[in-house]
Amino acid sequence: MAKSITRKNSTRKEMISLAAARLFREKGFNATGMRDVADAVGIEAASLYNHIRSKSELLQEICFRVANEFHAQLNELDQKPNLNSLDRLTAVIRQHIHMWVTRLDEVIVANNESKYLDDPYNATFQNERKVYARRLEQIIEDGIKKGQIRKVKPYVVVQTILSAVRGIEFWHRTKKNISIEDLTSTMISHLIEGLKK
Amino acid sequence: MAKSITRKNSTRKEMISLAAARLFREKGFNATGMRDVADAVGIEAASLYNHIRSKSELLQEICFRVANEFHAQLNELDQKPNLNSLDRLTAVIRQHIHMWVTRLDEVIVANNESKYLDDPYNATFQNERKVYARRLEQIIEDGIKKGQIRKVKPYVVVQTILSAVRGIEFWHRTKKNISIEDLTSTMISHLIEGLKK
DNA sequence: GTCTATATAAGGATAGAC
DNA sequence: GTCTATCCTTATATAGAC
């Protein structure tokens, strides 16, 4: 009984969160009104507050859900010690593209709207990003040390890769005849071949 | 006399525009109030309207100033017919990085806040972006045809390069000991070597 | 849990004195 | 050209009936 109530609540809340993610992505966090979110789920704005505490809370949950997911995927990769650096980077790129394709709204919100998080959430989130990037830099450094990667600045390479993948946001808008596979293979070959010795 | 009035006006308006660019970048267009802009130039909010028509107009001028500048720089490159495709792409990357370094606020606003332009400006601006990207695709296609560039999807490569350069926005935030030269050379080698046959 | 009604605050823009 | 005062709209969030 308690379980069914919980599930009903969380399902409702999930709907609100996903609707918010779509709206925050399309119109931006500040330009999205609670009335917009309410309309999207078919209730009045006031009713939202039976499920969420505030508009800020919606943003927080979206951003940290995404951050946690990215870290979890990187954790999985860490448990495959027999991958070399370039294979590891390739897998990271694939993971990112997969996230972009399957959870576009949330990922874009986490990238573009996280700056509107209130403190201390804002600082925490930016730190998550930094830690994640640092983990990727380690992969590059390892590859340089082992002679698989040219002598580059790991920090710059990581930012280049992360930014490049992030650009899929704009790819989505146009109606090009490019499959996910073409997209993935072109990006990987471009970004990985450019690192080889 | 008329000239001095004109110059005075345009200087004042320039100050407002640059202050707005900085604020729009830092806080976002919607989170920036006219009172914020007024504070930044040291006048009252009402006084702004002697120089500008509306908050939207500020955004429009910033975005199209940037768009025109990028097109102008590409036009310059077009007048050097003896450059090959890879050199041409390298020059484009250098131009972009230079814009990011010298006019960071305006470029970030044009990239991140242009979606808040009212129609028809929004549609016009997005089209400018599309035309610009198409011009870069032509360079890639040319390089493939002449055997300098591997067989890649030009559209994806252009988006990868544009997105990668765009990421300098985030590079700026951290205090890494990386010079502009290291940044530029690492990005160029990474993004250009990855295209060579 | 959802509704109607509303409190409270903030934002863009204008009027009119100086 | 700049100011003070203010209009008008919109937004988040709450109160209380059902």
Side-chain angles (χ1 to χ4, degrees):
Chain A
M1 209 38 77
K3 186 179 177 185
S4 95
I5 292 172
T6 300
R7 189 167 56 193
K8 195 177 176 186
N9 280 347
S10 67
T11 298
R12 190 58 146 170
K13 196 175 174 181
E14 256 175 56
M15 282 177 52
I16 295 172
S17 183
L18 291 178
R22 189 167 48 81
L23 288 164
F24 290 169
R25 172 201 159 196
E26 288 170 356
K27 311 177 53 158
F29 176 71
N30 283 300
T32 300
M34 293 307 271
R35 289 166 185 80
D36 299 325
V37 178
D39 283 352
V41 297
I43 58 178
E44 291 298 313
S47 306
L48 290 172
Y49 292 88
N50 286 310
H51 305 280
I52 59 160
R53 217 178 301 272
S54 66
K55 187 185 174 187
S56 303
E57 192 195 62
L58 278 173
L59 182 60
Q60 287 156 29
E61 294 193 354
I62 293 165
C63 290
F64 286 101
R65 203 187 311 147
V66 170
N68 291 338
E69 184 65 34
F70 274 112
H71 269 105
Q73 294 194 0
L74 202 46
N75 290 342
E76 273 186 38
L77 267 190
D78 277 349
Q79 289 171 341
K80 298 177 179 174
N82 43 343
L83 286 178
N84 69 35
S85 301
L86 290 174
D87 291 340
R88 205 172 291 273
L89 273 184
T90 301
V92 169
I93 294 174
R94 281 193 188 281
Q95 285 175 344
H96 274 251
I97 293 177
H98 185 253
M99 279 289 280
W100 279 97
V101 169
T102 56
R103 298 175 65 176
L104 188 68
D105 294 333
E106 297 161 275
V107 175
I108 292 179
V109 169
N111 272 329
N112 296 351
E113 312 295 323
S114 61
K115 63 179 168 188
Y116 301 117
L117 288 168
D118 301 318
D119 276 320
Y121 300 101
N122 188 12
T124 304
F125 185 84
Q126 302 310 328
N127 191 59
E128 292 284 318
R129 287 189 72 108
K130 197 179 294 183
V131 169
Y132 185 84
R134 198 71 55 103
R135 292 178 73 180
L136 298 188
E137 287 173 40
Q138 292 288 344
I139 299 176
I140 309 276
E141 285 165 16
D142 191 56
I144 296 174
K145 201 174 297 169
K146 290 180 178 163
Q148 298 170 330
I149 294 179
R150 289 191 292 112
K151 197 157 178 275
V152 290
K153 297 281 177 182
Y155 176 76
V156 177
V157 168
V158 167
Q159 294 301 322
T160 297
I161 290 175
L162 290 178
S163 301
V165 177
R166 189 174 166 167
I168 300 175
E169 167 181 358
F170 306 106
W171 166 74
H172 182 265
R173 285 184 194 164
T174 70
K175 283 294 176 194
K176 288 280 176 181
N177 278 343
I178 292 172
S179 69
I180 303 290
E181 264 323 299
D182 281 346
L183 167 77
T184 305
S185 64
T186 293
M187 285 196 73
I188 286 176
S189 69
H190 185 184
L191 292 169
I192 297 296
E193 292 298 322
L195 294 176
K196 286 185 181 169
K197 257 192 159 168
Chain B
M1 209 37 77
K3 185 178 177 183
S4 95
I5 291 172
T6 301
R7 188 167 55 190
K8 196 176 177 186
N9 281 348
S10 66
T11 297
R12 189 56 144 172
K13 196 175 175 181
E14 257 174 56
M15 283 177 52
I16 294 172
S17 183
L18 291 179
R22 189 165 50 81
L23 288 165
F24 291 170
R25 171 200 160 199
E26 289 171 355
K27 311 176 54 156
F29 176 71
N30 282 301
T32 300
M34 293 306 273
R35 289 161 184 83
D36 298 326
V37 178
D39 283 352
V41 298
I43 59 179
E44 290 299 313
S47 306
L48 291 172
Y49 292 88
N50 286 310
H51 305 280
I52 60 161
R53 216 177 303 269
S54 66
K55 188 185 174 187
S56 303
E57 191 195 63
L58 278 174
L59 182 60
Q60 286 157 27
E61 295 193 353
I62 294 166
C63 290
F64 286 102
R65 202 188 313 146
V66 170
N68 291 339
E69 184 64 33
F70 274 112
H71 268 106
Q73 294 193 1
L74 202 47
N75 290 342
E76 275 187 38
L77 266 190
D78 277 349
Q79 289 171 339
K80 297 177 178 175
N82 44 344
L83 286 179
N84 70 34
S85 301
L86 290 174
D87 290 340
R88 205 172 290 273
L89 274 185
T90 300
V92 169
I93 294 174
R94 279 193 189 281
Q95 285 175 344
H96 274 252
I97 292 177
H98 185 253
M99 280 289 279
W100 278 97
V101 169
T102 56
R103 297 174 66 176
L104 187 70
D105 294 335
E106 297 161 276
V107 175
I108 292 179
V109 169
N111 271 329
N112 296 351
E113 311 296 321
S114 60
K115 62 179 169 187
Y116 302 116
L117 287 168
D118 300 318
D119 277 320
Y121 299 102
N122 189 10
T124 305
F125 185 83
Q126 302 310 327
N127 191 59
E128 293 282 320
R129 287 188 73 106
K130 199 179 291 184
V131 169
Y132 185 84
R134 197 72 53 105
R135 293 178 72 180
L136 297 188
E137 286 174 39
Q138 292 288 345
I139 299 176
I140 309 274
E141 285 166 15
D142 191 55
I144 295 174
K145 201 174 297 170
K146 290 180 178 163
Q148 297 169 331
I149 294 178
R150 288 191 292 112
K151 197 159 178 273
V152 290
K153 297 281 176 182
Y155 176 77
V156 178
V157 167
V158 166
Q159 293 301 322
T160 298
I161 290 175
L162 290 179
S163 301
V165 177
R166 189 175 167 168
I168 301 176
E169 167 182 356
F170 307 105
W171 166 74
H172 182 264
R173 286 183 192 166
T174 70
K175 283 295 177 195
K176 288 278 175 180
N177 278 342
I178 291 172
S179 69
I180 303 292
E181 264 321 302
D182 282 344
L183 168 77
T184 305
S185 63
T186 293
M187 286 196 71
I188 286 176
S189 69
H190 185 184
L191 292 170
I192 297 296
E193 293 298 322
L195 295 176
K196 286 184 180 170
K197 257 190 160 167

